[in-house]
Amino acid sequence: MSESASKSTKRPKGLLKTKKAARTAESDEGRSSKRLKIDNEASADISVDSTEKTDVTLQDWEDLKELFENSLEAMEGDDPVAAAPPLLRGILHECDRFIRHHADPATVYTSSGDSKLAFATIHASAVFAMGRIMAIQPEITAPGEPKDASSWFEAAITLFESAIGDDDDTAVATESDKIWRARFEYSWGLAILERYQANAAQKEEDAEDDDEDEGEAAEKAHKIIDLAARRLSKAVQYLTDAPSTGDTATPKSRIPLRPAQTLINSAETLHVTIDSVIRKYGNHPELSRTTYLYILDNLLSPSPFEDSPTTTDDERWDLTLLRAKCWFSVGEGYMEQCEVDLTGEDETTLNSAHANAGLEAFIKARGLFNTVLELPSTKDEDDISDVKILLGECLLGLANVTEDDSARDTLYSDARALGVNIDELEMDE
């Protein structure tokens, strides 16, 4: 959950002195219980003070933002499973109180200059974060809370969707609005992907018979991934544009979304999810290629912040590696189509449009893998070794779509030198 493994552990600031809104179940004896609505089907018992304030004020809003910052720190700490839930439950209680007193909670903080999506960002992100916690350790569920992560993810997505409504393309002007919207879109995109993964895992655990055609199932999965990719690309765009306003009056988050790391997390999660779909339903090259190309064009195209002094060498290394992986995956898709053509004894296969496109993709991947190996970084030997293996597999793929026999043999030799066991592979004589 941490974007920085080197972050030192910070004691959660817990609940603000001005608003001790929530407590863990163990320390709440003698308090009344109030049911917190999560969605139409899931609700949770949250212990709160029996003497609740009858209204919400601008100070309450500032306190809620502070509590959210504390939860972000906890989620990035060494033990988020222990530190974050009390803070997240406190946020959810406060959000429920805001909603009960104001049909549009944004009216509370209109004068603060915060985005109208700020409240929805805090509310939905807290529900999503609880889902991530439950996916790791469902036994910490409080009485009445849903134990399965899918319910939390579903509730979070419902909150994101209802906050946008028909206003998805509203123009934004201030730095504050862009920063809030970046976190909103980022959390929404990740929630879509994690809901898919949780549902898929639950389906496998329940050993449900799936009579659905694999092609149709893969198409549905890729539509979900594409939806998430569009939300994540919006997040990155907002982060890219935000500094251009020069709005120095905007209060800065203690735990801001780092543009490069947000981009890396987004692209990596998308890549992992696509791979899981391929493992489950087989590779449907047209579907996966479309998604990979979208990631390359809208997430992994060179961005201004890559040259920023705040972007680390390791982040540049990771971004270049992700580009290489995506182009490699595009090439593999074309190669599989070529293999199908070869099975049909099509003599023109190695000079076909599929082969030429695969050749181009593998060449781009090879160049990027080589660049990764040359970039400065603090990566360890295992990381470097993994890249060399990927480069070797890329050379093997490139050889398989290369028409010239001499060039193909050279590529096989280079792949063998990088650890690919060519001798165990079945090759046409």
Side-chain angles (χ1 to χ4, degrees):
M1 293 179 190
S2 172
E3 290 182 355
S4 173
S6 63
K7 255 183 113 60
S8 60
T9 304
K10 295 184 179 180
R11 180 182 63 81
K13 294 177 178 56
L15 309 175
L16 305 171
K17 293 180 180 179
T18 58
K19 288 175 58 54
K20 296 188 176 177
R23 294 283 190 262
T24 58
E26 292 78 9
S27 63
D28 261 347
E29 294 180 6
R31 295 183 182 272
S32 64
S33 180
K34 192 174 289 290
R35 185 162 288 273
L36 170 63
K37 191 173 181 59
I38 299 295
D39 60 29
N40 290 334
E41 297 181 354
S43 59
D45 284 328
I46 302 297
S47 186
V48 301
D49 289 333
S50 57
T51 55
E52 181 180 84
K53 291 177 64 175
T54 58
D55 195 9
V56 289
T57 65
L58 183 57
Q59 183 58 51
D60 291 332
W61 167 245
E62 295 299 327
D63 289 348
L64 178 60
K65 287 195 296 182
E66 177 73 8
L67 190 57
F68 183 55
E69 290 276 315
N70 294 345
S71 75
L72 294 176
E73 284 189 329
M75 290 293 286
E76 288 205 358
D78 289 343
D79 192 7
V81 173
L87 302 169
L88 295 171
R89 289 182 174 115
I91 290 170
L92 295 179
H93 165 68
E94 281 301 285
C95 287
D96 180 60
R97 192 168 71 84
F98 268 66
I99 292 168
R100 282 187 285 109
H101 288 293
H102 293 274
D104 179 8
T107 59
V108 177
Y109 57 85
T110 302
S111 62
S112 70
D114 286 313
S115 168
K116 71 174 188 177
L117 285 178
F119 176 83
T121 301
I122 292 175
H123 192 189
S125 296
V127 175
F128 168 56
M130 282 295 289
R132 301 184 83 182
I133 295 289
M134 295 305 170
I136 297 171
Q137 197 165 334
E139 58 269 23
I140 69 166
T141 307
E145 288 180 348
K147 292 185 177 181
D148 60 298
S150 294
S151 294
W152 290 93
F153 296 147
E154 190 68 48
I157 291 169
T158 298
L159 290 171
F160 285 122
E161 291 173 344
S162 61
I164 285 290
D166 297 326
D167 196 27
D168 199 3
D169 294 319
T170 299
V172 293
T174 67
E175 179 181 344
S176 173
D177 199 13
K178 290 176 181 178
I179 291 172
W180 277 111
R181 284 175 181 264
R183 189 174 289 281
F184 180 94
E185 298 287 357
Y186 178 60
S187 297
W188 189 356
L190 293 182
I192 291 170
L193 294 174
E194 297 213 22
R195 177 186 61 177
Y196 170 77
Q197 294 280 26
N199 288 341
Q202 187 62 52
K203 199 170 186 179
E204 284 191 14
E205 186 177 326
D206 294 342
E208 291 183 10
D209 293 330
D210 192 353
D211 296 329
E212 189 174 20
D213 177 78
E214 284 193 349
E216 292 178 359
E219 186 173 1
K220 287 182 180 178
H222 276 282
K223 284 182 178 178
I224 293 170
I225 295 170
D226 290 345
L227 177 61
R230 279 155 178 73
R231 306 269 46 127
L232 293 169
S233 66
K234 279 193 172 187
V236 172
Q237 189 59 55
Y238 283 134
L239 286 177
T240 304
D241 293 345
S244 64
T245 65
D247 183 3
T248 57
T250 302
K252 305 302 180 185
S253 169
R254 298 196 312 272
I255 313 293
L257 285 175
R258 286 178 51 79
Q261 195 60 51
T262 300
L263 178 50
I264 291 165
N265 292 344
S266 299
E268 182 65 32
T269 306
L270 287 165
H271 191 276
V272 167
T273 308
I274 297 170
D275 281 352
S276 73
V277 172
I278 291 173
R279 287 195 303 272
K280 184 174 179 62
Y281 299 115
N283 193 6
H284 297 266
E286 293 288 348
L287 294 173
S288 57
R289 180 165 62 249
T290 299
T291 305
Y292 280 124
L293 290 175
Y294 181 89
I295 295 171
L296 285 162
D297 290 342
N298 294 278
L299 280 166
L300 292 177
S301 58
S303 301
F305 56 74
E306 286 191 65
D307 295 326
S308 167
T310 62
T311 299
T312 67
D313 287 340
D314 282 356
E315 287 172 337
R316 294 187 184 92
W317 193 93
D318 288 334
L319 285 169
T320 306
L321 178 58
L322 280 165
R323 290 187 184 105
K325 285 181 176 180
C326 286
W327 278 118
F328 178 37
S329 296
V330 170
E332 283 190 311
Y334 280 119
M335 186 180 71
E336 289 194 15
Q337 289 177 304
C338 288
E339 289 175 350
V340 171
D341 295 338
L342 281 170
T343 302
E345 299 183 357
D346 183 348
E347 295 180 358
T348 65
T349 293
L350 293 180
N351 195 28
S352 65
H354 286 160
N356 290 331
L359 192 71
E360 181 181 350
F362 281 130
I363 288 173
K364 288 181 179 178
R366 178 180 62 180
L368 288 164
F369 282 129
N370 281 321
T371 298
V372 171
L373 294 173
E374 296 169 359
L375 285 174
S377 73
T378 62
K379 301 295 183 178
D380 59 29
E381 286 301 317
D382 288 341
D383 293 323
I384 301 300
S385 177
D386 288 343
V387 175
K388 289 180 178 179
I389 291 172
L390 285 170
L391 174 58
E393 292 175 351
C394 177
L395 295 178
L396 176 60
L398 183 57
N400 289 339
V401 291
T402 296
E403 192 171 14
D404 182 79
D405 290 341
S406 176
R408 189 186 310 126
D409 288 341
T410 299
L411 288 166
Y412 283 143
S413 178
D414 291 344
R416 185 183 289 109
L418 287 166
V420 178
N421 196 337
I422 303 294
D423 300 328
E424 290 186 358
L425 299 175
E426 292 183 4
M427 295 186 295
D428 294 332
E429 297 294 333

